[in-house]
Amino acid sequence: MRKLLFVLMLVFTSLIYFSCDTAENPEDQNTDIPGDPTGVTVPTPTKNNVLPSASFTTTGSRVKLNLLGLIDPTTNQPLTLSYNSTNPQASNIFVEEDGIVQGLKVSKVGTGNVLTADIVFCVDNSGSMGDEADSVAASIIEFANYLQASGLDVKFAVVGYDSYPNGGINFTNAQTLNSYLNRTDYYGPVTGTSRTEDFSGPDSAALYNRANNFGYAGGENGVIAAIFADSVYGWRAGAQRVFINFTDEPTQSLSDGTWNNAMGCSLLSGKATVHTVFSEDSTYWTFNQYDERPWELSTCTGGTIKFIPDDATGLNLKDLPVAGALANSYLVEYVSAKTGVAHTVKITVYTATADGVQTFNITY
C-alpha cells in the first residue's frame, strides 16, 4: 500500500511540474519563428503603388498578422511575399514593432492556413441604378458562391444606400445572401433596386433603427454605407475587412465635409480595403469637393477599381483583382517583445515593381 501511495504521489507531482513548466514557458511554442534580425535596414518605398492591409490576433506573445494579398498594378498579378531567414535584408516584406525589425514566419493561405474574410457589398440603390441593379445582384450571388466554394472562411453582408443606409443584411453565408437578394414580398418577386432596400435577418429591426439614426449625406454616398457597416455589423475578430462598392454617381457629401472621401479614408485606411465598381462613363460627371470620385476611397485603402457599362453587361466579379488578392493572402507571424500594451507596427512591402508601407497603432 505504501508503495502504491508513493507511486501515485510521484505521478501527481510530475503532472503538476510539467503542467506548470508548459504554462510558464509559452515561448517554447514559438521556435518556428526566426529571432529578430540585426543590421537590417528596411527599404524606403519609392513607388507607393500598393498599400498593405492587415488584421491582428495574438496567442500569448505570438502575433498573427492576417495580410490581404496585394496586387502588383504593373502586372495585375498577386505579389509573392517571402521572408529570408538566412539573409533578412533580401526579404520583400518587413515588419517593425516599435521600431524593431521582427523575425517573421510568412505562410501563404492554403491547406491548414485558411484566410478569414468578411465581405460587405455596398450597393447604390438610387433610381439611376435601375438598369444594372439585377445584374449587380446576380454577380454578387455568383461571386459569393465562388468564394465560399474556394475554401476561404468567408462571410457576406450587404448595405443598400442612397443618401443613407436604407437596407441590407448582416454577415451570413452565400445561401442566405442569395435568399435576401432574390426574396419575394406581398406583391411578388423583389427586383431592381428594391433588392437591397429594407433590412433582413434576425437583427433587422435593430439595423433599421441604427440606420435611421446614423446620419444623412447630400446624395448617393458609399462612404456612409461603408462606415455604417464598419460600425454596426458583426465583424469577426481577426477577419480581413473587405468592401465592394457599386455605384454610378459621385460621392455626394455634406457642405461641412461630413461623409466625404477624406472621412472614409481616415476611418478605414489600414483597417479595410474598399473596391469600387463604377457603372458610368467616368468623364460624364464634373467632380468637385461635394461630388467626389467614389474610387478615391479605393485608392486610399489599397483597393481596386473596375469601370463597367451602365447596364453592367458582362459583369463578373471573379475578374476583380480582389478575388486574386483573397486567394493569395498571407499569415505573417512574429513574437512580440511585450503584450498587453500599445504598439506601433509598420509593414513594408518592397519589390522591383511594387512597394508600399502601412503603419498601425494597435494594442495587443
Side-chain angles (χ1 to χ4, degrees):
M1 179 62 72
R2 288 182 178 178
K3 288 185 178 180
L4 178 60
L5 287 173
F6 176 78
V7 171
L8 289 174
M9 289 178 65
L10 182 62
V11 171
F12 181 69
T13 304
S14 299
L15 286 173
I16 293 175
Y17 174 81
F18 286 112
S19 296
C20 292
D21 185 65
T22 300
E24 293 172 2
N25 292 280
E27 304 310 317
D28 292 345
Q29 302 173 19
N30 298 327
T31 55
D32 57 327
I33 298 178
D36 295 345
T38 57
V40 173
T41 301
V42 177
T44 301
T46 56
K47 304 173 186 66
N48 289 298
N49 54 359
V50 293
L51 188 64
S53 176
S55 58
F56 295 76
T57 57
T58 58
T59 302
S61 60
R62 189 183 187 104
V63 181
K64 298 181 179 182
L65 194 158
N66 188 342
L67 182 68
L68 184 66
L70 296 167
I71 303 298
D72 187 334
T74 62
T75 63
N76 211 34
Q77 296 298 313
L79 288 176
T80 299
L81 302 180
S82 62
Y83 177 78
N84 189 327
S85 58
T86 303
N87 180 15
Q89 189 68 61
S91 306
N92 61 13
I93 180 170
F94 303 84
V95 175
E96 298 167 81
E97 181 189 70
D98 303 324
I100 305 299
V101 180
Q102 300 295 296
L104 304 177
K105 179 181 179 181
V106 179
S107 308
K108 187 177 178 182
V109 167
T111 303
N113 178 27
V114 179
L115 173 74
T116 301
D118 290 341
I119 301 175
V120 176
F121 301 100
C122 299
V123 184
D124 177 352
N125 56 25
S126 63
S128 63
M129 288 287 289
D131 288 343
E132 56 265 60
D134 290 330
S135 294
V136 166
S139 296
I140 287 173
I141 293 166
E142 182 183 18
F143 188 56
N145 287 328
Y146 164 74
L147 290 180
Q148 187 169 283
S150 70
L152 296 172
D153 179 9
V154 62
K155 296 293 184 183
F156 310 96
V158 172
V159 178
Y161 69 90
D162 192 333
S163 58
Y164 70 101
N166 59 21
I169 187 170
N170 212 331
F171 287 108
T172 187
N173 57 33
Q175 291 74 25
T176 304
L177 179 71
N178 181 18
S179 297
Y180 170 67
L181 293 174
N182 285 314
R183 66 193 184 279
T184 299
D185 63 12
Y186 177 80
Y187 300 100
V190 176
T191 61
T193 57
S194 297
R195 292 179 187 271
T196 56
E197 293 176 353
D198 299 326
F199 290 96
S200 184
D203 59 346
S204 58
L207 294 178
Y208 173 82
N209 290 331
R210 290 293 301 274
N212 279 348
N213 294 286
F214 198 75
Y216 294 84
E220 288 89 328
N221 191 297
V223 171
I224 193 173
I227 294 175
F228 173 78
D230 183 67
S231 305
V232 176
Y233 280 4
W235 303 85
R236 293 175 294 170
Q240 274 291 341
R241 298 189 177 203
V242 178
F243 295 90
I244 303 178
N245 182 36
F246 301 83
T247 187
D248 65 346
E249 294 205 18
T251 298
Q252 299 163 46
S253 59
L254 298 178
S255 58
D256 64 357
T258 304
W259 310 121
N260 63 8
N261 281 335
M263 181 178 178
C265 292
S266 175
L267 291 173
L268 298 176
S269 182
K271 186 179 185 181
T273 55
V274 181
H275 305 266
T276 302
V277 179
F278 192 75
S279 52
E280 181 56 85
D281 182 351
S282 62
T283 64
Y284 177 82
W285 298 101
T286 300
F287 297 103
N288 54 54
Q289 61 179 331
Y290 306 119
D291 294 292
E292 298 180 298
R293 296 169 178 84
W295 52 87
E296 289 176 352
L297 193 59
S298 296
T299 302
C300 73
T301 61
T304 56
I305 306 157
K306 187 176 182 67
F307 297 98
I308 63 173
D310 58 12
D311 60 357
T313 300
L315 175 60
N316 184 351
L317 296 181
K318 290 186 289 185
D319 294 336
L320 281 177
V322 66
L326 286 166
N328 289 273
S329 297
Y330 287 85
L331 176 65
V332 180
E333 300 173 278
Y334 59 93
V335 179
S336 175
K338 187 175 183 180
T339 58
V341 298
H343 294 284
T344 298
V345 177
K346 185 162 73 171
I347 304 172
T348 302
V349 171
Y350 194 88
T351 73
T353 55
D355 59 38
V357 62
Q358 181 72 273
T359 299
F360 301 82
N361 294 307
I362 187 169
T363 297
Y364 54 69

